Amino acid sequence: MKSDLFSSENMVKPATAPGMTLQNTKSIKYAVNGEMHARQGSMVAFRGDLQFERKGQGLGGMLKRAVTGEGLPLMAVRGQGEAWFAHEAANCFIVEMEQGDVLTINGRNVLCFDATLSYEIKTVKGAGMTGGGIFNSVFSGYGKLGLMCEGHPIVIPVTAQQPVCVDTDAVVGWSSQLATSLHRSQSFGSMIRGGSGEAVQLRLDGEGFVIVRPSELKPEKASAN
């Protein structure tokens, strides 16, 4: 049988070491030797002796997710084998974290991560009760974090001289040492007249970076979280 479908770029190659690698721009391959964590429902294929178990967020995490519609619904994957993860053909990226690194990520952008990483769901300071991400997942420790993003992400440096304001529906994550607050870019009079649809943003101050996606969250997906 002959087809471009069977080209080398599409064919799976045997894993040479445990852990995650990019299968292609739309999926992540994980050679499991022990335990790893992934977004519930994101596994598209696996082979070997693997077990998948729903992982709870703890009472605090469950309450926050119920209030906000956000959060990080996880499953633990245990055993030995290979698994492939993807979500709605979103672009995938791998972040290698070292001791001392701390990264804040919107739960909807997390695909999978090493069990050596720690995470907790925290309130975004200064954001109040507005926007799509008042609770985000904060990752720390040593290991790899697999992220997904609709479209190609935009990484914007943040400096003390140049703070950055981002739409809460478009933000993917930011370096956790940044200070967060709300920024109003619209006058009261403009809001009364109907406004521009861009009334309030998340402002980031300090030294670091912020990651945004090239579109706002679609209403139908926002309601599905």
Side-chain angles (χ1 to χ4, degrees), residues 154-178:
I154 305 164
V155 180
I156 307 172
V158 181
T159 66
Q161 294 74 32
Q162 289 187 310
V164 177
C165 297
V166 296
D167 190 304
T168 57
D169 286 334
V171 65
V172 173
W174 59 89
S175 41
S176 293
Q177 69 268 25
L178 295 175

Side-chain angles (χ1 to χ4, degrees), residues 100-119:
D101 291 341
V102 185
L103 185 62
T104 296
I105 295 292
N106 195 306
R108 65 176 176 250
N109 296 104
V110 175
L111 184 61
C112 57
F113 57 95
D114 291 342
T116 54
L117 289 176
S118 299
Y119 85 96

Side-chain angles (χ1 to χ4, degrees), residues 33-34 42 48 69 98 115 121 125 155 163 168-169 205 216 224:
N33 182 22
S42 64
E98 299 179 348
I121 299 174
K125 294 181 179 179
V155 180
T168 57
D169 286 334
D205 288 89
E216 295 182 348

Side-chain angles (χ1 to χ4, degrees), residues 46-51 78-82:
F46 79 93
R47 60 186 179 187
D49 182 16
L50 295 178
Q51 294 81 43
R78 301 185 179 95
Q80 289 189 321
E82 295 172 304

